[in-house]
Amino acid sequence: MSHAKYSVINTPVHNIDGVAKVTGRATYTFDVTLPGMLYGKILRSPHPHAKILNIDATRALELPGVKAVVTGKDTLGIKQGIWRRYEELCDEQILPLEKVRYIGEPVAAVAAVTEEIAEAALDLIDVDYEVLPAVFEPLEAIKKEAPTIHEGVERNVNVTRHIEWGDVDEAFEEADYIREDWFKCSGQHHMCMETRAAVSSFTPDGKLTVWTSTQSAYYHQALLAGVFGLRDGDVRVLAPYVGGGFGGKFEIDSAQFCSGVLSMKLHKPVKIVLTREEDFIASKRRTPMFYYVRTGIKKDGTFCARESRMFSNGGAYTGMGATALYLSGFFHSFPYKWRGYRYDGYRVYTNTMPSTSMRGFGAPQAMFCSEQQIDWICADLGLDPFEVRRKNGHTEGYEVPGQAFIASCGLEQCINEIEKWVKSKGKLPANRGIGISSCGFMSGGIFNWFDSPYSFSSAVVTINFDGTVELHVGCQDIGQGSNTTMAIIAAETLGVKIEDIKVHSGDTDHCPADLGAWGSRQTLMAGNAVKMACEDAKKQLLEFAYAEMGINIVYDLDIKDRWVHIVARPERGLPYGDLVKKALRGKDGQRIVGRGYYTPHRKGMISPAYSYMMQAVDAEIDPETGKIKIYEVMTAHDCGQPINPLGLIGQLEGAASMALGYAYLEDMPFEDGKMMNPNLVDYKVIKAPEMPKTDIIEIDTYEPEGPYGAKEAGEGLTNPTAAALGNAVFNAMGIQMKELPITPERILKALREKKEQEAQK
Amino acid sequence: MEKQLLRFKVNGDEYEVYINPKTLLAEVIRDHLGFTGTKRGCETVSCGACTVNVNGFSVKSCSVLAIQCQDMDVTTVEGLEKNGKLSPIQRAFLDNGSYQCGFCTPGMLMSSTAFLEELKGEVPTEEKIRESIEGNVCRCTGYNSIVRAIDAVAQGKYKEE
Ligand code: FES
Ligand code: FES
């Protein structure tokens, strides 16, 4: 339960960057221009797997306006990766020296005085390739006879991950019923409206400044310093407004790397913005996964054991894929109590664009398989899907053996609310069904494969003479509204108004380091750091208040709505503005500065806290065409104490649109390693007319580890939707969808197969 | 190619620019005049991030040549506010949280503004509102908050200030 009445928390506010965004004042990396700036373009491999024999840029360099061409020879094939603690997983050369491993991989970059000239120069670079045999699917690439993509990597297995608890075999023996299924989950593109972009400026004093569209200015500072052989402190990364991230913008991309190399060669600013097509073929994507799922259950619906194997299409490089491999396996167990659980994940290299993290981080795939299979088992055994989920669901105080401790959990209430809602709908017309899915998600990962020497989150708060507040944070606002969330937490803690707070973020020179916006970490981790910094500053102010008011030390003082007062006698006090002025004099004119930081300790393997939810999707299927019409998405959600209610609704609706896209529209078909739909005509995202009604019921819980009881919201909401739609199709038509996306063709095929089976009977 | 003189109005002010006649309106607005509020999100005229209004009609500025706007009146997102006062749809976007990363927002605002003007006070159905922004892709919001904002303005809940 929420512990207190708040003045700012959970009250609707305009996002603090709202005016900038609705007036066109918000400038993005896409909008940055610097004096003397050059434009860069990247030549990309047309082959999925080929040796680079020679690159001849003579003709390109002769084109008037061309300033430089760089290749792997300039960067000596330096390898990079975000799993910095594991050298073998830092396997990506942007501008490779010897060979290319996917279509779209950069082979050379040009800087010229205009974008047109740079573009024209690409045609004048001659590259000799020796084409090598290529492999595109993980189940092929893992075979003995498959071509080797990285020297020394046997059977192209990039990373494996084993998770196990309990006696799995014994638990299976106790089961009355065992079901096995294979699933195929597709990739998905982040499709940020702002494509990957960077402006790099290297100056003769040896300092590099990079404006870029990033989810973590600190990661990019450290990664770019690493590849360019500079000290972290000599690289300044600035993230102006960021046009979306969704998990795709915290590794080094080709725009950042190539603009940096070119700028260091030329000592001039170089801007590279990927075209939509480049962004599609040569960034990264949600990891495609093959899942084998075997589940054992008792007649009464008690879960006994689960054993799963997963093969993911890793594409050409590791990136964040190793994390997705672990998280997928962990959340595949969610949100249930298994006596025995075993997961073996294999991330396999292929000659396709690399796969990585994307909103949900392996969990949407895991839930698509798990939550559908649970409904099928319920149908096989005549069990009630709500009852079975309630019976086996996580509860407060549960420990996922050796992995996680669940301090707050509103799953049961979520299930109850959705059950009520589904029942209220009564009998549905033919070909229409409601499907459900429950799940949970982490509130920030506790992993440090990046090997950051800094606290996971930090904040510095400074109070000016007039009472206004400068809040410096390293967390990154990519549109999810973290700056507003931090301002709300700061205003609540200091007892001031949100308009008193200015948030400074996205600048490594002026903001403390923070791992950034990924893994749903900012509300909890950066929120805790901000709260601690503000408590520190407030304590300093209250010391002066005690002296000023001359009150008995047994009384508690507090500040609320800019009023400093005795908690027991709120009318006795003084204005916050007056106190600040006096306090500064008492400090020899120094501004009040508070510091806060957060690094999780002894919080298990994954996360300090978990959100929970259940979602229902109401859909109709046209049996003639296989087309799906979605009427409504209803969600019951436990994210602890909501901080920014308007932002929360936005996260829910945004997650639903992205997850519905994943469920039935968005696909990335490849032919011989070539993506067949790298544009917004053929890559279908949800548009306004298809978007259904989306309502939410917030379940009131309090997370002890979160600031003011808050935890994750927004990323986890991407997880249940594909499964819920699959279950809706199952309930409407009696067909089992084992492959994503759920397209009309796949529905028609399943309907045909069902008919044939019935005819045989 | 020989440059040509383009004379047109942007956000109420007269501009004269010498341009290559093949230059897109989006480029002139952004690169020549510096109105970077207008965005680009694709090369296939399919995202709407570049939407502006030309003589009151909403137009994807990546799909027309600037020279076609000779003597015309162009409004970009920067032209929606008047003397520091936000337009009704801008205020409705703020109240409804109709933006997240904000990259699609200028285009969304321009499509909505043209739609609301065409209505001339008539209250549209939700379906009509959704159709009016069909050409604008938003990856963040899921559109429903944008639909609520347009609806609120169409219902007369926001007056010109
Ligand atoms: S830039 Fe996408 S429609 Fe104009
Ligand atoms: S707000 Fe990010 S694309 Fe619409």
Side-chain angles (χ1 to χ4, degrees):
Chain A
M1 285 303 119
S2 305
H3 280 183
K5 276 257 159 283
Y6 300 121
S7 333
V8 197
I9 284 175
N10 208 15
T11 311
V13 290
H14 293 168
N15 272 7
I16 58 172
D17 53 12
V19 168
K21 284 178 178 169
V22 302
T23 61
R25 284 178 175 82
T27 48
Y28 299 72
T29 302
F30 181 59
D31 304 320
V32 170
T33 39
L34 298 177
M37 190 175 85
L38 303 171
Y39 294 84
K41 281 277 170 194
I42 299 169
L43 182 69
R44 296 176 181 280
S45 166
H47 303 295
H49 199 192
K51 263 198 197 136
I52 301 171
L53 300 178
N54 187 41
I55 303 178
D56 183 354
T58 320
R59 292 193 303 137
L61 286 164
E62 280 164 13
L63 188 70
V66 171
K67 295 291 174 188
V69 177
V70 291
T71 67
K73 288 216 175 95
D74 296 85
T75 58
L76 301 175
I78 184 152
K79 284 191 177 176
Q80 64 89 27
I82 196 161
W83 271 56
R84 294 198 307 185
R85 277 185 76 90
Y86 302 85
E87 206 189 319
E88 71 280 13
L89 298 182
C90 295
D91 54 5
E92 184 172 4
Q93 302 173 359
I94 303 180
L95 295 179
L97 201 53
E98 285 129 22
K99 71 171 184 174
V100 287
R101 296 180 174 87
Y102 70 96
I103 293 179
E105 181 156 12
V107 288
V110 181
V113 293
T114 69
E115 217 170 346
E116 293 68 39
I117 297 174
E119 176 86 45
L122 295 184
D123 290 337
L124 304 175
I125 300 173
D126 301 301
V127 188
D128 292 337
Y129 294 102
E130 179 193 323
V131 176
L132 300 169
V135 61
F136 310 111
E137 288 294 338
L139 297 176
E140 293 298 317
I142 206 166
K143 288 184 181 158
K144 229 190 180 141
E145 62 275 17
T148 299
I149 298 172
H150 288 267
E151 282 323 306
V153 177
E154 230 172 282
R155 293 200 179 215
N156 294 311
V157 176
N158 163 221
V159 198
T160 60
R161 177 59 87 159
H162 177 78
I163 304 173
E164 181 164 345
W165 65 78
D167 188 328
V168 182
D169 300 327
E170 197 184 282
F172 265 116
E173 264 167 35
E174 281 171 18
D176 297 312
Y177 182 72
I178 293 174
R179 189 180 164 117
E180 298 175 305
D181 291 287
W182 269 98
F183 296 87
K184 187 177 175 193
C185 305
S186 44
Q188 182 182 23
H189 200 268
H190 307 89
M191 224 301 287
C192 306
M193 278 303 289
E194 183 187 28
T195 59
R196 283 147 183 88
V199 180
S200 296
S201 176
F202 187 69
T203 43
D205 53 5
K207 312 267 189 221
L208 176 67
T209 306
V210 182
W211 286 258
T212 189
S213 191
T214 172
Q215 293 180 227
S216 174
Y218 161 64
Y219 273 180
H220 277 125
Q221 176 191 37
L223 290 170
L224 290 168
V227 289
F228 295 139
L230 300 168
R231 295 181 302 177
D232 285 11
D234 291 332
V235 178
R236 179 182 185 186
V237 172
L238 287 143
Y241 287 93
V242 176
F246 313 113
K249 288 183 182 169
F250 57 98
E251 297 168 46
I252 300 190
D253 62 46
S254 55
Q256 295 160 344
F257 184 81
C258 294
S259 67
V261 178
L262 286 164
S263 182
M264 287 179 75
K265 185 160 184 158
L266 295 164
H267 292 90
K268 290 222 170 205
V270 178
K271 179 174 188 171
I272 298 183
V273 177
L274 300 198
T275 63
R276 179 59 61 198
E277 181 173 344
E278 284 181 290
D279 206 59
F280 266 123
I281 65 165
S283 52
K284 285 179 179 148
R285 57 175 163 157
R286 185 189 292 290
T287 310
M289 294 180 177
F290 288 83
Y291 252 99
Y292 159 80
V293 188
R294 179 165 176 256
T295 301
I297 176 170
K298 285 194 181 157
K299 274 202 294 278
D300 68 355
T302 308
F303 288 174
C304 301
R306 168 170 285 171
E307 176 182 40
S308 292
R309 272 195 293 283
M310 193 278 274
F311 300 86
S312 77
N313 190 336
Y317 300 104
T318 306
M320 281 300 291
T323 318
L325 188 77
Y326 185 16
L327 292 177
S328 190
F330 176 69
F331 285 110
H332 186 58
S333 76
F334 252 57
Y336 305 112
K337 300 173 181 172
W338 301 96
R339 284 210 36 228
Y341 181 79
R342 183 188 292 143
Y343 162 85
D344 280 287
Y346 303 84
R347 187 174 194 276
V348 186
Y349 285 129
T350 64
N351 292 113
T352 58
M353 68 188 283
S355 59
T356 189
S357 49
M358 179 173 170
R359 199 176 193 174
F361 224 148
Q365 298 95 315
M367 301 328 287
F368 177 71
C369 313
S370 171
E371 288 289 303
Q372 285 199 102
Q373 197 193 46
I374 288 170
D375 265 29
W376 302 341
I377 290 174
C378 289
D380 295 347
L381 299 180
L383 296 169
D384 174 34
F386 289 103
E387 201 41 54
V388 164
R389 286 179 170 87
R390 232 182 331 250
K391 190 178 190 119
N392 297 288
H394 285 179
T395 45
E396 258 172 37
Y398 174 68
E399 192 181 337
V400 184
Q403 304 278 327
F405 179 74
I406 310 300
S408 67
C409 175
L411 177 65
E412 187 175 338
Q413 296 97 303
C414 291
I415 298 173
N416 295 344
E417 290 295 337
I418 292 296
E419 185 177 30
K420 251 191 271 164
W421 182 83
V422 172
K423 298 214 159 124
S424 76
K425 292 271 160 179
K427 198 171 151 33
L428 298 171
N431 304 323
R432 183 154 163 193
I434 297 180
I436 56 164
S437 165
S438 43
C439 63
F441 203 59
M442 60 182 177
S443 297
I446 62 168
F447 349 96
N448 192 18
W449 28 254
F450 191 75
D451 208 8
S452 169
Y454 295 114
S455 302
F456 277 26
S457 282
S458 300
V460 179
V461 64
T462 309
I463 304 179
N464 298 316
F465 184 67
D466 58 6
T468 55
V469 177
E470 314 288 340
L471 176 63
H472 286 85
V473 288
C475 65
Q476 188 58 51
D477 200 318
I478 52 173
Q480 86 288 40
S482 59
N483 281 355
T484 303
T485 299
M486 296 310 137
I488 292 172
I489 291 172
E492 185 71 49
T493 312
L494 286 169
V496 299
K497 298 207 185 294
I498 191 163
E499 55 271 27
D500 297 332
I501 315 275
K502 251 187 288 169
V503 180
H504 305 273
S505 65
D507 180 349
T508 54
D509 265 12
H510 298 292
C511 301
D514 183 297
L515 306 189
W518 62 273
S520 293
R521 50 182 305 287
Q522 300 208 142
T523 296
L524 190 142
M525 296 193 184
N528 274 330
V530 167
K531 185 164 179 264
M532 181 180 172
C534 293
E535 279 165 352
D536 177 8
K538 183 167 160 182
K539 185 165 168 285
Q540 298 172 45
L541 279 178
L542 292 182
E543 286 166 7
F544 285 97
Y546 274 101
E548 171 68 18
M549 292 168 71
I551 56 167
N552 189 326
I553 55 163
V554 299
Y555 286 124
D556 280 338
L557 286 181
D558 200 3
I559 313 175
K560 251 189 196 315
D561 298 327
R562 300 187 188 140
W563 178 246
V564 187
H565 58 275
I566 302 171
V567 175
R569 311 226 353 232
E571 71 287 355
R572 274 195 60 191
L574 77 162
Y576 156 81
D578 294 354
L579 175 64
V580 172
K581 290 196 172 77
K582 289 181 174 161
L584 254 69
R585 289 188 202 286
K587 273 189 173 287
D588 202 12
Q590 288 296 297
R591 294 192 287 183
I592 310 278
V593 178
R595 285 171 208 285
Y597 58 89
Y598 180 87
T599 303
H601 291 287
R602 287 190 286 168
K603 295 287 167 211
M605 302 283 287
I606 313 284
S607 175
Y610 298 87
S611 64
Y612 287 91
M613 66 214 78
M614 181 177 254
Q615 191 166 71
V617 173
D618 176 358
E620 183 176 33
I621 290 86
D622 182 330
E624 304 303 320
T625 61
K627 278 210 177 115
I628 299 179
K629 177 173 166 57
I630 314 237
Y631 285 93
E632 198 167 348
V633 176
M634 182 70 189
T635 311
H637 185 221
D638 154 29
C639 66
Q641 168 65 52
I643 302 284
N644 174 4
L646 212 51
L648 183 56
I649 292 171
Q651 285 301 306
L652 165 85
E653 292 177 337
S657 75
M658 195 168 256
L660 282 173
Y662 184 53
Y664 82 114
L665 285 181
E666 294 178 41
D667 201 1
M668 299 177 76
F670 283 81
E671 266 175 37
D672 296 328
K674 190 176 162 77
M675 183 182 169
M676 299 313 288
N677 57 346
N679 59 68
L680 272 174
V681 178
D682 301 314
Y683 186 92
K684 303 280 181 213
V685 294
I686 297 250
K687 305 254 181 87
E690 296 101 53
M691 186 63 195
K693 186 166 168 237
T694 42
D695 272 328
I696 190 161
I697 302 166
E698 278 303 332
I699 303 298
D700 189 9
T701 65
Y702 184 90
E703 169 53 49
E705 187 67 12
Y708 297 103
K711 46 190 180 177
E712 177 287 320
E715 183 171 9
L717 285 164
T718 327
N719 301 345
T721 316
L725 178 64
N727 284 335
V729 173
F730 177 60
N731 292 336
M733 318 301 286
I735 49 176
Q736 298 178 347
M737 305 312 299
K738 299 191 177 178
E739 205 169 323
L740 279 172
I742 304 172
T743 55
E745 297 73 39
R746 289 191 177 127
I747 287 183
L748 290 179
K749 183 166 169 264
L751 284 173
R752 267 197 314 274
E753 284 167 5
K754 186 178 163 225
K755 246 199 196 143
E756 280 161 22
Q757 275 172 10
E758 281 168 356
Q760 273 171 14
K761 275 191 203 150
Chain B
M1 199 167 304
E2 198 169 322
K3 294 217 166 162
Q4 293 183 8
L5 178 67
L6 165 67
R7 188 179 290 138
F8 68 154
K9 265 192 180 169
V10 180
N11 300 329
D13 293 324
E14 287 276 358
Y15 288 90
E16 284 183 3
V17 264
Y18 275 96
I19 53 164
N20 177 328
K22 281 198 179 152
T23 313
L24 298 175
L25 177 59
E27 289 171 56
V28 171
I29 291 170
R30 285 180 51 83
D31 304 340
H32 297 230
L33 305 183
F35 290 110
T36 53
T38 302
K39 305 296 183 218
R40 298 286 313 268
C42 70
E43 298 90 44
T44 47
V45 199
S46 33
C47 76
C50 63
T51 309
V52 299
N53 290 358
V54 180
N55 287 357
F57 292 100
S58 101
V59 165
K60 289 179 175 166
S61 64
C62 71
S63 72
V64 292
L65 298 177
I67 208 76
Q68 291 173 295
C69 300
Q70 196 67 266
D71 296 326
M72 293 192 183
D73 221 323
V74 176
T75 309
T76 68
V77 68
E78 289 92 343
L80 291 181
E81 75 185 74
K82 297 275 177 295
N83 303 320
K85 300 267 187 243
L86 303 190
S87 75
I89 190 68
Q90 287 177 306
R91 281 182 283 133
F93 265 50
L94 286 179
D95 289 347
N96 287 281
S98 313
Y99 55 86
Q100 288 180 27
C101 79
F103 205 81
C104 72
T105 310
M108 284 287 182
L109 286 165
M110 297 319 291
S111 292
S112 328
T113 300
F115 172 69
L116 287 160
E117 269 163 24
E118 275 164 36
L119 287 174
K120 302 208 166 61
E122 175 203 329
V123 178
T125 59
E126 186 183 320
E127 208 182 321
K128 268 240 154 89
I129 296 178
R130 289 185 183 273
E131 278 168 18
S132 77
I133 50 168
E134 195 173 10
N136 294 76
V137 172
C138 174
R139 192 56 158 167
C140 302
T141 64
Y143 308 97
N144 291 352
S145 55
I146 299 170
V147 172
R148 288 193 288 275
I150 302 175
D151 185 56
V153 177
Q155 303 268 359
K157 292 190 186 139
Y158 292 84
K159 298 276 169 273
E160 207 74 60
E161 276 184 356

